[in-house]
């Protein structure tokens, strides 16, 4: 997979970002694009294994239901570094917060219109890896932990908001990679 990149995104103008989710084989066509090809892979916090979900089947099988560790996403487990090479990495919660605030993201139109074309790829719930909210909400991990069981995530929906939130580390969420 070859990823297009973009720079000069308000809030983090000096950073370079990939313009589709890690593992996605195509750009999303709309903010509510609910295709597997646009969604890409889903990742549990601080895990190197990516998961694909075609709407019916999860690949590979879900095995981790609880993640409790006192650490941020470690470089050795960073899929951005492992798949794209250094200096690519997962964004921090500060970088996501800066984009959200500077881009005046108030719902899913902000992330979609930002040049990053972030869309509602949904997430995998923590217990069975069931697909939720694809086409309805975007959930993007940061590299920072909130607590042993929780990590920070950028979340947006059609009408509710675009905010930094905390989710169980065992959820599977999308990744966007960044480099300085």
């Amino acid at each position: 997979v070859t990823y297009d990149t973009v720079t000069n995104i308000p809030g983090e103008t000096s950073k370079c970002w990939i313009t589709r989710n890690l593992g996605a084989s195509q750009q999303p066509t709309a903010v509510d694009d609910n295709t597997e090809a646009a969604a890409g892979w889903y990742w549990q916090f601080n895990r190197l294994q990516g998961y694909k979900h075609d709407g019916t089947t999860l690949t590979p099988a879900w095995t981790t239901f609880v993640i409790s560790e006192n650490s941020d996403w470690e470089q050795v487990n960073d899929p951005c570094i492992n798949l794209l090479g250094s200096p690519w990495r997962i964004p921090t919660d500060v970088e996501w917060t800066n984009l959200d605030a500077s881009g005046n993201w108030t719902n899913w139109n902000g992330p979609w219109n930002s040049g990053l074309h972030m869309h509602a790829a949904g997430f995998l719930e923590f217990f069975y890896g069931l697909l939720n909210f694809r086409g309805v909400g975007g959930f993007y991990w940061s590299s920072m932990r909130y607590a042993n069981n929780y990590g920070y995530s950028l979340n947006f929906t059609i009408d509710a908001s675009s905010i930094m939130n905390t989710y169980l580390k065992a959820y599977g969420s999308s990744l966007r990679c960044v480099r300085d």
Side-chain angles (χ1 to χ4, degrees), residues 101-175:
S102 296
N104 196 26
W105 296 357
T106 57
N107 57 33
W108 68 0
N109 290 317
W112 174 251
N113 293 326
S114 70
L116 294 174
H117 295 296
M118 295 171 63
H119 74 294
F123 68 89
L124 304 178
E125 61 84 26
F126 69 95
F127 199 72
Y128 295 109
L130 299 175
L131 181 62
N132 287 277
F133 284 83
R134 189 184 281 171
V136 178
F139 302 82
Y140 290 80
W141 279 127
S142 84
S143 62
M144 309 302 289
R145 75 172 184 88
Y146 171 73
N148 288 356
N149 292 3
Y150 291 85
Y152 285 105
S153 176
L154 174 72
N155 312 121
F156 53 82
T157 59
I158 186 171
D159 56 2
S161 63
S162 175
I163 60 169
M164 288 303 296
N165 211 337
T166 60
Y167 281 92
L168 287 169
K169 290 179 176 181
Y171 277 102
S173 293
S174 299
L175 290 178

Side-chain angles (χ1 to χ4, degrees), residues 35-50:
T35 63
E36 176 187 14
W41 302 323
Y42 299 91
W43 311 86
Q44 291 179 306
F45 194 95
N46 201 28
R47 298 298 184 266
L48 195 52
Q49 176 65 60

Side-chain angles (χ1 to χ4, degrees), residues 64-128:
T64 304
F65 305 51
V66 175
I67 298 174
S68 182
E69 53 196 19
N70 186 19
S71 68
D72 293 331
W73 208 307
E74 298 173 2
Q75 286 187 350
V76 67
N77 292 328
D78 184 326
C80 295
I81 293 172
N82 280 276
L83 295 174
L84 302 178
S86 184
W88 291 103
R89 61 180 173 75
I90 299 168
T92 66
D93 63 320
V94 172
E95 288 167 326
W96 280 134
T97 298
N98 290 345
L99 293 180
D100 188 43
S102 296
N104 196 26
W105 296 357
T106 57
N107 57 33
W108 68 0
N109 290 317
W112 174 251
N113 293 326
S114 70
L116 294 174
H117 295 296
M118 295 171 63
H119 74 294
F123 68 89
L124 304 178
E125 61 84 26
F126 69 95
F127 199 72
Y128 295 109

